Amino acid sequence: MVRKIQTITHNKIISNFRVLSGLTISIEDCAYLTKQFQAYGVDDYYISDYQGNSYLTRYVDYFIDSIPCWTYKRKYFVPLIFRDTPDTQKMFQDDYRWKAFFVLLDWYLKYSPEKVIIQTTNNKFKVIDTAFLTFRLWEICDGAAFPIANLNNLSEFEKWNQASHLIDTGRSFKQTREFDDTKEADLTQLEAVISIIKMKYQAILLKQGYQL
């Protein structure tokens, strides 16, 4: 990102007959970021409505009116609607986070799509749970980056992960089994996590003037 993106309040979320609010961005900023993120698989942007349930409302059914969305790899909608939390603000403060977002999204779409695809009535595109992925990035970048950077081998990571439960091996935020280094899904998820953490520290070094 080159220019600063400001989040704005979106007051058109209806859930259980209540009007809720979240954060989004302007249409102009959505169009700008569409061009910036084409290399990651973003095709175009739309203003769309959708109905479903997701991490945005803690999995209570809701309807959202007129929200900016990206189309991703011609198959998915990525609605730009977020919870009003610090992890959302960091998405628009740290340039590396959106690249990391797409790394994480691609892993989930391949190995655990049910975690990130919202059940909706939209028959043309599958709708991505943007709020959940934003939360997962916060877990990785702000909760796990420092301790993982100080681990020396896979054995140390496995011991740390038994207490921290970073690797997603369960359902509904509950770990149903331990990390298994014989499973492709677990190893590739760890690979994605490490690549995201590298992005974070590379961004820090660049800000400090180091040439990478």
Side-chain angles (χ1 to χ4, degrees):
M1 287 183 292
V2 176
R3 75 186 195 191
K4 185 174 177 59
I5 306 295
Q6 295 284 356
T7 55
I8 55 179
T9 302
H10 186 81
N11 293 312
K12 297 180 180 180
I13 306 171
I14 301 173
S15 178
N16 280 355
F17 305 103
R18 295 179 300 144
V19 178
L20 306 178
S21 62
L23 294 179
T24 187
I25 61 175
S26 69
I27 305 304
E28 292 77 10
D29 284 338
C30 180
Y32 170 78
L33 291 178
T34 298
K35 293 181 180 179
Q36 295 293 309
F37 298 153
Q38 283 179 343
Y40 304 144
V42 175
D43 306 306
D44 206 345
Y45 70 95
Y46 292 88
I47 305 302
S48 183
D49 310 330
Y50 76 92
Q51 187 170 354
N53 66 71
S54 69
Y55 183 72
L56 180 69
T57 56
R58 298 289 186 177
Y59 302 99
V60 176
D61 288 341
Y62 61 84
F63 172 79
I64 295 185
D65 183 36
S66 302
I67 196 71
C69 300
W70 291 321
T71 54
Y72 181 65
K73 295 186 175 179
R74 305 188 186 282
K75 293 174 61 177
Y76 306 99
F77 257 153
V78 180
L80 298 179
I81 183 69
F82 310 89
R83 294 171 65 87
D84 189 357
T85 55
D87 47 294
T88 294
Q89 299 299 338
K90 288 190 175 185
M91 293 299 296
F92 301 99
Q93 294 169 357
D94 301 331
D95 288 350
Y96 75 90
R97 291 214 184 213
W98 279 109
K99 182 179 180 180
F101 176 94
F102 292 113
V103 168
L104 196 60
L105 172 57
D106 285 344
W107 182 87
Y108 272 103
L109 289 175
K110 183 173 182 179
Y111 292 100
S112 194
E114 71 282 356
K115 283 283 189 74
V116 294
I117 294 177
I118 301 170
Q119 298 300 314
T120 73
T121 55
N122 189 318
N123 295 320
K124 186 176 181 181
F125 293 98
K126 296 177 180 178
V127 180
I128 298 300
D129 190 345
T130 314
F132 169 73
L133 286 166
T134 302
F135 167 73
R136 280 291 286 153
L137 273 181
W138 175 80
E139 285 190 315
I140 295 167
C141 299
D142 301 287
F146 181 76
I148 287 181
N150 287 279
L151 299 176
N152 296 307
N153 52 52
L154 184 59
S155 178
E156 288 186 6
F157 170 78
E158 289 177 318
K159 185 175 180 180
W160 174 85
N161 190 67
Q162 285 176 359
S164 302
H165 307 299
L166 176 69
I167 298 299
D168 189 350
T169 59
R171 298 178 180 177
S172 301
F173 299 94
K174 293 182 179 179
Q175 192 178 46
T176 55
R177 60 174 176 80
E178 296 296 340
F179 174 85
D180 186 345
D181 64 6
T182 67
K183 291 186 178 294
E184 179 183 346
D186 289 11
L187 284 175
T188 54
Q189 185 179 172
L190 177 57
E191 182 181 16
V193 166
I194 291 172
S195 71
I196 288 168
I197 291 172
K198 284 182 178 179
M199 291 179 203
K200 172 176 180 168
Y201 284 111
Q202 286 171 348
I204 290 172
L205 290 173
L206 286 172
K207 281 185 177 180
Q208 293 175 347
Y210 290 92
Q211 298 296 320
L212 301 179

